[in-house]
């Protein structure tokens, strides 16, 4: 890991927005900031000055100036930019220098259907939607829920809500009733906008039965609006529903924006809900805007006119992150459906066709492309500047595959954060080298550290990911949590006054970060704490193994490692392969990493954003109930594990 895979040339560094910002920040800081590490140190030593300077530097569209940048209250009570007003929708619909005819959205689905909207088109649709919301009685602070596909209509609803101060919330239409109701049932939306179906992997699915049940069960719901998938004229749904076209009405509407406090609620996002009722986290408009802007502009080097794609659904925070790219004057690309339909090269062809400058995806997808022997470099990716990966740690082999098979001169930005902050704790730095298996650094303004069990910062060894100072994108509050008790318990129950995120990380000698997985899934054989990624990395070199999940099995007062593997087609787990796996882990990790039991399964259980749910597997093998299986993308995988373990 000590040799970089890519180092930006001095000319490329000098051309980045980050380096220009660094040079200008030196005058503000009153001292030399020779590199990113110095810039970051200043940003966390004086966060109030950093965030004020950034807002001024990018001319954040504040209607009124702030009296105070950052209140003296500690996390989670810190208020931001008090006295300032803005409107998130206005910032996205009128970015500096954008012309009416510039493309705002390119929308593509797995069938090849494609639509494009200019910034003027999008403004007009938002105006019509905002007028419809007002006719439906939606006022500032009311909630609007979207059970929705990744389409321009969903972006329209979000921006229409933001324009008048309503609070938006979404999940994707592949969520069943229980999962959707566990989210929307908490927040009592006044309006539900829902698709009547969706397509995935070449199959069409109807959602009307789920929508009808949601409409009956959600307390306080007054209007249900149906968007027909692929804009069909089917109106065979309940008379209690109204079609999207009829609801919008035929007449053009005037677009207006309500000036709102910086900390005004913008949207509600939810935790995965794999261990209980999903936490409903209320995010502030100004916090999302300024943080996403910083991450796009400085860390991703997105510039006006760039074409930005992230594969996501409306149930994952990366959708919210992608939409904010409009504030930079970029074109955002929405993709609806499976990224492997009709084959795994579909989104790489999309990158070539639309000259993507930023290609965002999951680590799992990149690993799948590697395993399939794909060579995206065969397409014209000359416009591509940045590839971003998130959802789970990207392995060193995954890093190498990108530079070998995709593009040798590309900024590979592994990023990690979460729904909890609707942004990143650590992400790409376009002025620094890329090392295999490492995220390049903490985000500007993020006082990140790795803590040991005693709350002391450590480097060169695994520790708990913590954030020692507040950031604007931390949740305003949890829904129905008036005394902040659930908020405090979720993030501040281990290290008082310090945000504990729940990831196990290591800060390296290069200043980068290695993510070992969720700290609550950490293994503890013989009292020695190890991250699951330490077991997975040796397996990357075994061609027989596609993916794996390691969990701790309680046994005789101790814990042993149980390993579940998905093997390549035509490969069967036998005693010889078990020995090979154990020898590989012993040689490249340590004897304490070696699994006691190894099981072959056809799939691993995942959340709907593609993350392996090691915690659910651990509960299952230790005889605990796995609740809320409906929030998983493939709950049948747990049934298979139960059978396999029972046969052991």
């Amino acid at each position: 890991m000590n040799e970089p895979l890519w180092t930006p040339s001095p000319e490329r560094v000098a051309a980045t927005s980050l380096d220009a910002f660094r040079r200008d920040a030196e005058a503000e800081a009153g001292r030399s900031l020779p590199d990113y590490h110095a810039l970051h140190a200043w940003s966390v030593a004086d966060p109030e000055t950093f965030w004020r300077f950034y807002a001024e530097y990018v001319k954040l569209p504040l209607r009124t100036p702030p009296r105070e940048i950052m209140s003296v209250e500690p996390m989670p009570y810190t208020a931001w930019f008090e006295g300032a007003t803005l409107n998130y929708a206005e910032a996205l619909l009128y970015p500096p220098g954008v012309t009416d005819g510039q493309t705002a959205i390119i929308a593509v689905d797995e069938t090849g259907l494609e639509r494009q909207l200019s910034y003027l088109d999008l403004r007009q649709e938002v105006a019509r939607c905002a007028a419809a919301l007002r006719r439906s009685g939606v006022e500032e602070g009311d909630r609007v829920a979207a059970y929705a596909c990744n389409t321009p209509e969903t972006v329209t609803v979000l921006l229409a809500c933001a324009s008048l101060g309503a609070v938006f919330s979404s999940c994707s239409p592949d969520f069943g009733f229980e999962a959707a109701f566990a989210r929307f049932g908490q927040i009592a939306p006044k309006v539900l906008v829902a698709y009547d179906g969706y397509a995935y992997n070449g199959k069409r699915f109807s959602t009307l039965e789920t929508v009808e049940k949601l409409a009956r069960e959600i307390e306080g719901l007054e209007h249900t609006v149906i968007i027909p998938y692929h804009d069909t004229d089917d109106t065979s749904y309940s008379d209690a529903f109204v079609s999207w076209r009829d609801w919008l009405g035929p007449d053009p509407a005037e677009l207006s924006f309500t000036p709102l406090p910086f900390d005004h609620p913008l949207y509600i996002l939810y935790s995965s809900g794999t261990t209980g009722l999903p936490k409903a986290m209320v995010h502030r408009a100004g916090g999302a805007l300024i943080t996403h802007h910083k991450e796009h502009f400085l860390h991703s080097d997105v510039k006006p006119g760039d074409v930005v794609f992230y594969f996501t659904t409306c149930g994952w925070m990366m959708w919210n992150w992608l939409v904010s790219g409009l504030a930079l004057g970029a074109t955002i690309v929405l993709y609806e459906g499976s990224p492997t339909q009709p084959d795994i090269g579909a989104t790489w062809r999309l990158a070539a066709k639309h000259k993507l400058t930023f290609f965002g995806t999951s680590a799992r997808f990149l690993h799948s492309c590697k395993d399939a022997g794909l060579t995206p470099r065969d397409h014209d990716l000359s416009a591509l500047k940045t590839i971003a990966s998130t959802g789970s740690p990207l392995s060193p082999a995954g890093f190498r595959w990108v530079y070998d098979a995709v593009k040798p001169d590309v900024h590979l930005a592994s990023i990690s954060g979460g729904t909890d902050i609707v942004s990143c704790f650590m992400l790409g730095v376009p002025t620094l080298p890329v090392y295999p298996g490492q995220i390049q650094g903490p985000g500007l303004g993020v006082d990140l550290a790795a803590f040991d069990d005693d709350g002391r910062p450590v480097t060169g060894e695994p520790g708990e990911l913590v954030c020692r100072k507040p950031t604007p994108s931390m949740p305003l509050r949890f829904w129905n949590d008036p005394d902040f008790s659930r908020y405090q318990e979720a993030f501040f129950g281990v290290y008082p006054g310090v945000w504990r995120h729940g990831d196990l990380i290591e800060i390296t000698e290069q200043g980068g970060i290695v993510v070992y997985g969720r700290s609550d899934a950490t293994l503890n054989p013989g009292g020695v704490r190890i991250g699951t990624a330490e077991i997975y990395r040796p397996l990357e070199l075994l061609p027989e193994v596609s993916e794996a999940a390691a969990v701790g099995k309680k046994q005789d007062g101790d814990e042993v490692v149980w390993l579940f593997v998905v093997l390549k087609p035509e490969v069967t787990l036998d005693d010889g392969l078990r020995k090979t796996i154990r020898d590989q882990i012993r040689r490249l990790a340590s004897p304490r990493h070696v699994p006691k039991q190894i099981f072959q399964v056809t799939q691993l259980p995942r959340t709907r954003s593609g993350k392996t749910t090691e915690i659910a597997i651990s509960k299952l093998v230790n005889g605990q109930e796995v609740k809320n299986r409906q929030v998983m993308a493939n709950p049948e995988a747990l049934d298979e594990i139960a059978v396999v373990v029972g046969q052991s």
Side-chain angles (χ1 to χ4, degrees):
M1 287 192 183
N2 292 327
E3 294 299 321
L5 294 171
W6 175 80
T7 301
S9 66
E11 295 78 15
R12 183 158 178 169
V13 168
T16 64
S17 300
L18 176 59
D19 201 57
F21 177 79
R22 179 193 60 78
R23 295 191 298 268
D24 290 340
E26 289 183 322
E28 188 68 29
R31 63 178 186 271
S32 172
L33 302 172
D35 55 24
Y36 180 78
H37 302 295
L39 178 65
H40 177 266
W42 167 69
S43 76
V44 297
D46 190 358
E48 188 167 1
T49 300
F50 167 74
W51 289 109
R52 176 190 54 76
F53 177 65
Y54 187 76
E56 294 171 352
Y57 185 83
V58 300
K59 297 180 173 58
L60 205 72
L62 302 178
R63 295 279 194 94
T64 55
R67 296 186 302 271
E68 182 180 46
I69 301 300
M70 178 181 166
S71 73
V72 297
E73 287 81 11
M75 296 180 284
Y77 311 106
T78 313
W80 291 90
F81 287 78
E82 288 189 285
T85 58
L86 54 69
N87 190 281
Y88 175 86
E90 184 177 26
L92 270 62
L93 290 170
Y94 287 95
V98 165
T99 62
D100 289 352
Q102 182 176 324
T103 303
I105 295 175
I106 299 172
V108 183
D109 72 11
E110 66 172 37
T111 70
L113 184 69
E114 183 177 308
R115 290 184 289 159
Q116 296 194 14
L117 276 74
S118 68
Y119 273 84
L120 178 60
D121 294 333
L122 183 57
R123 291 171 197 150
Q124 291 173 340
E125 289 304 297
V126 170
R128 293 175 67 203
C129 186
L133 288 171
R134 291 190 185 94
R135 289 194 300 270
S136 299
V138 173
E139 300 176 346
E140 185 177 316
D142 285 340
R143 278 77 59 208
V144 175
Y147 186 66
C149 299
N150 186 14
T151 63
E153 286 77 14
T154 310
V155 176
T156 296
V157 176
L158 164 59
L159 296 181
C161 288
S163 73
L164 53 88
V167 184
F168 175 86
S169 191
S170 66
C171 70
S172 59
D174 59 348
F175 279 46
F177 167 77
E178 290 81 4
F181 183 74
R183 289 157 172 76
F184 297 155
Q186 296 186 60
I187 66 171
K190 184 173 283 187
V191 173
L192 172 66
V193 179
Y195 269 84
D196 66 357
Y198 65 96
Y200 195 85
N201 245 0
K203 297 179 181 179
R204 172 70 185 263
F205 301 89
S206 173
T207 61
L208 283 176
E209 183 177 343
T210 299
V211 174
E212 288 170 351
K213 194 170 182 181
L214 288 170
R216 289 195 305 269
E217 298 295 333
I218 292 176
E219 184 178 349
L221 186 65
E222 297 180 8
H223 304 277
T224 301
V225 181
I226 299 293
I227 305 177
Y229 188 70
H230 271 190
D231 202 26
T232 63
D233 292 320
D234 180 16
T235 57
S236 59
Y237 40 79
S238 168
D239 291 340
F241 301 164
V242 61
S243 74
W244 172 254
R245 291 182 194 172
D246 291 343
W247 184 67
L248 288 183
D251 298 328
E254 184 177 346
L255 183 57
S256 62
F257 303 100
T258 302
L260 298 163
F262 190 91
D263 277 354
H264 185 82
L266 173 63
Y267 33 57
I268 298 172
L269 277 70
Y270 307 90
S271 64
S272 63
T274 53
T275 58
L277 190 69
K279 297 187 290 286
M281 293 168 280
V282 183
H283 287 288
R284 49 193 111 202
L289 177 62
I290 195 171
T291 303
H292 292 171
H293 197 291
K294 177 206 68 170
E295 293 181 352
H296 291 142
F297 184 54
L298 299 183
H299 289 278
S300 305
D301 205 37
V302 173
K303 293 179 166 62
D306 276 356
V307 185
V308 178
F309 163 80
Y310 220 109
F311 177 77
T312 180
T313 71
C314 299
W316 191 18
M317 58 136 297
M318 293 311 301
W319 182 83
N320 306 75
W321 191 90
L322 171 64
V323 171
S324 291
L326 293 169
L328 273 293
T331 297
I332 62 171
V333 179
L334 311 177
Y335 186 89
E336 171 61 26
S338 168
T340 60
Q341 179 66 24
D343 58 66
I344 200 169
T347 52
W348 297 112
R349 292 192 295 272
L350 178 75
K353 178 180 179 181
H354 291 290
K355 304 298 180 187
L356 301 188
T357 56
F358 182 102
F359 182 97
T361 187
S362 67
R364 181 190 177 202
F365 177 77
L366 294 177
H367 289 147
S368 296
C369 291
K370 175 182 72 70
D371 291 345
L374 211 63
T375 53
R377 66 170 179 264
D378 295 337
H379 302 291
D380 179 8
L381 302 178
S382 55
L384 189 59
K385 297 186 297 183
T386 305
I387 296 174
S389 167
T390 193
S392 57
L394 182 64
S395 68
F399 274 75
R400 294 187 182 93
W401 176 83
V402 168
Y403 285 103
D404 291 342
V406 183
K407 192 174 184 180
D409 187 22
V410 71
H411 177 210
L412 174 55
S414 182
I415 65 177
S416 182
T419 300
D420 322 78
I421 58 166
V422 73
S423 58
C424 303
F425 283 115
M426 43 204 175
L427 64 169
V429 182
T431 60
L432 292 180
V434 172
Y435 291 86
Q438 294 189 31
I439 297 176
Q440 287 174 286
L444 291 173
V446 177
D447 190 11
L448 178 143
F451 271 14
D452 65 15
D453 291 340
D454 296 321
R456 296 174 299 202
V458 294
T459 58
E461 62 181 86
E464 289 276 358
L465 188 164
V466 300
C467 188
R468 294 173 289 197
K469 292 181 181 177
T471 70
S473 65
M474 289 176 177
L476 178 65
R477 62 178 185 271
F478 283 14
W479 194 256
N480 291 329
D481 184 33
D483 63 356
F484 281 67
S485 58
R486 294 177 63 213
Y487 197 155
Q488 288 277 5
E489 180 185 3
F491 301 114
F492 302 98
V494 176
Y495 307 111
V498 175
W499 177 295
R500 171 187 173 270
H501 193 59
D503 282 347
L504 192 68
I505 66 168
E506 178 185 335
I507 298 176
T508 71
E509 60 180 313
Q510 295 89 4
I513 300 123
V514 176
V515 179
Y516 290 107
R518 296 293 297 172
S519 56
D520 48 10
T522 300
L523 308 174
N524 199 31
V528 179
R529 191 163 84 158
I530 59 177
T532 53
E534 297 175 71
I535 293 176
Y536 304 152
R537 290 201 172 103
L539 299 179
E540 294 166 14
L541 303 177
L542 294 181
E544 299 91 344
V545 180
S546 290
E547 53 184 341
V551 301
K553 167 67 173 175
K554 309 300 181 188
Q555 186 172 300
D556 300 327
D558 196 0
E559 182 176 282
V560 296
V561 178
W562 279 18
L563 182 68
F564 297 86
V565 293
V566 178
L567 302 179
K568 295 290 176 61
E570 311 304 325
V571 177
T572 301
L573 183 66
D574 55 20
D575 289 343
L577 183 53
R578 284 189 175 90
K579 183 178 185 304
T580 298
I581 290 172
R582 289 190 172 106
D583 289 348
Q584 180 84 340
I585 293 171
R586 181 179 290 106
R587 183 171 62 86
L588 297 180
S590 80
R592 66 176 173 268
H593 292 75
V594 175
K596 182 76 170 179
Q597 295 274 9
I598 306 175
F599 306 93
Q600 181 179 0
V601 292
T602 61
Q603 59 180 325
L604 298 175
R606 299 186 180 281
T607 66
R608 293 180 183 273
S609 60
K611 298 178 183 179
T612 302
T613 56
E614 294 162 333
I615 298 172
I617 302 173
S618 178
K619 284 180 175 291
L620 182 68
V621 303
N622 286 294
Q624 297 175 283
E625 181 184 1
V626 181
K627 299 179 180 179
N628 299 327
R629 292 190 180 205
Q630 70 276 4
V631 303
M632 297 180 184
N634 57 339
E636 68 278 4
L638 284 174
D639 298 328
E640 180 186 1
I641 289 173
V643 171
V644 169
V645 170
Q647 292 175 346
S648 63

